[in-house]
Amino acid sequence: KQEVTQIPAALSVPEGENLVLNCSFTDSAIYNLQWFRQDPGKGLTSLLLIQSSQREQTSGRLNASLDKSSGRSTLYIAASQPGDSATYLCAVCHYNQGGKLIFGQGTELSVKP
Amino acid sequence: DAGVTQSPTHLIKTRGQQVTLRCSPKSGHDTVSWYQQALGQGPQFIFQYYEEEERQRGNFPDRFSGHQFPNYSSELNVNALLLGDSALYLCASSWNYETQYFGPGTRLLVL
């Protein structure tokens, strides 16, 4: 059974810092991995999707990496801003489970001005 | 192009009642998935619909049922509501197994 874990559960940093959020999964037979952002009480916004054959994806100040063999993904946020404050969720999609996403519990990020 | 839309945004029900939530997928998407997110938790997969049929189902009781219409929109029905059904219900649409786009959710409170 696939389990997704995100560490840390919460993180507070001063504005301008570079930071890394971690995601680990127990079954490496994934089709892809997605990182999402969720503002309080809102839906999820897709940030990056990494296919199983890819090592990383970049979008603006965000860079996500994937190491399937070790069951790890990281989301790197450069030059953090107060507007980055949100909960970040990673989710894996399996080949043999259709489009079902299995989520971690998220990392709540607070960027202080 | 409208993204994924859900209605209603908020709902208050009492135990034992039934509720129907609605979702319209993003244009061009043929697959709709439903998730339940309890406070402080990651979303949990309920089920997925493709070509008007349930393709995948998560670990949820039969009280949770759904439907997909020919225009790809979808409904989630929950019967005999329990206090523990209080959560944010999220709908996501996609084309095949690609990026899933989520709607704003429906906040359900069961009293």
Side-chain angles (χ1 to χ4, degrees):
Chain A
K1 177 188 171 188
Q2 176 74 273
E3 291 184 2
V4 180
T5 304
Q6 291 187 247
I7 295 173
L11 183 62
S12 182
V13 301
E15 181 177 4
E17 269 203 10
N18 302 324
L19 58 99
V20 174
L21 307 181
N22 297 293
C23 173
S24 61
F25 47 95
T26 54
D27 186 344
S28 62
I30 64 171
Y31 181 71
N32 60 43
L33 182 147
Q34 275 188 262
W35 282 93
F36 294 90
R37 169 188 171 132
Q38 186 174 33
D39 293 296
K42 305 294 186 183
L44 277 62
T45 300
S46 179
L47 298 174
L48 291 164
L49 179 144
I50 311 178
Q51 300 290 358
S52 61
S53 58
Q54 297 175 320
R55 297 284 294 185
E56 65 179 305
Q57 282 284 348
T58 298
S59 176
R61 295 183 293 109
L62 305 179
N63 175 277
S65 68
L66 174 64
D67 184 344
K68 263 196 355 174
S69 60
S70 66
R72 294 178 187 275
S73 177
T74 62
L75 179 67
Y76 175 82
I77 303 177
S80 58
Q81 303 170 358
D84 295 329
S85 298
T87 295
Y88 291 80
L89 294 148
C90 72
V92 299
C93 177
H94 268 249
Y95 279 108
N96 63 353
Q97 294 184 24
K100 170 184 175 180
L101 290 178
I102 300 172
F103 283 84
Q105 292 197 317
T107 293
E108 185 177 358
L109 173 65
S110 176
V111 181
K112 305 294 187 185
Chain B
D1 171 33
V4 180
T5 60
Q6 293 186 243
S7 63
T9 56
H10 294 83
L11 207 48
I12 300 175
K13 292 286 188 178
T14 56
R15 281 175 296 176
Q17 286 190 310
Q18 178 264 344
V19 68
T20 297
L21 311 181
R22 295 177 176 83
C23 172
S24 291
K26 189 175 168 64
S27 178
H29 287 182
D30 58 4
T31 302
V32 173
S33 303
W34 288 92
Y35 294 82
Q36 180 196 67
Q37 186 178 27
L39 205 59
Q41 303 293 317
Q44 298 290 316
F45 176 79
I46 302 174
F47 43 53
Q48 182 182 83
Y49 278 85
Y50 172 71
E51 292 189 342
E52 302 180 52
E53 296 210 351
E54 185 182 286
R55 178 161 72 176
Q56 281 279 327
R57 188 178 182 90
N59 189 25
F60 278 79
D62 292 344
R63 298 186 297 110
F64 290 77
S65 64
H67 188 77
Q68 185 178 35
F69 299 94
N71 67 352
Y72 305 119
S73 67
S74 178
E75 288 182 349
L76 164 65
N77 301 292
V78 187
N79 294 322
L81 284 167
L82 304 174
L83 296 179
D85 295 331
S86 296
L88 180 67
Y89 288 84
L90 296 163
C91 167
S93 75
S94 62
W95 180 82
N96 206 352
Y97 295 164
E98 300 308 316
T99 302
Q100 295 198 20
Y101 291 86
F102 282 76
T106 294
R107 174 74 62 185
L108 173 64
L109 178 61
V110 182
L111 301 177

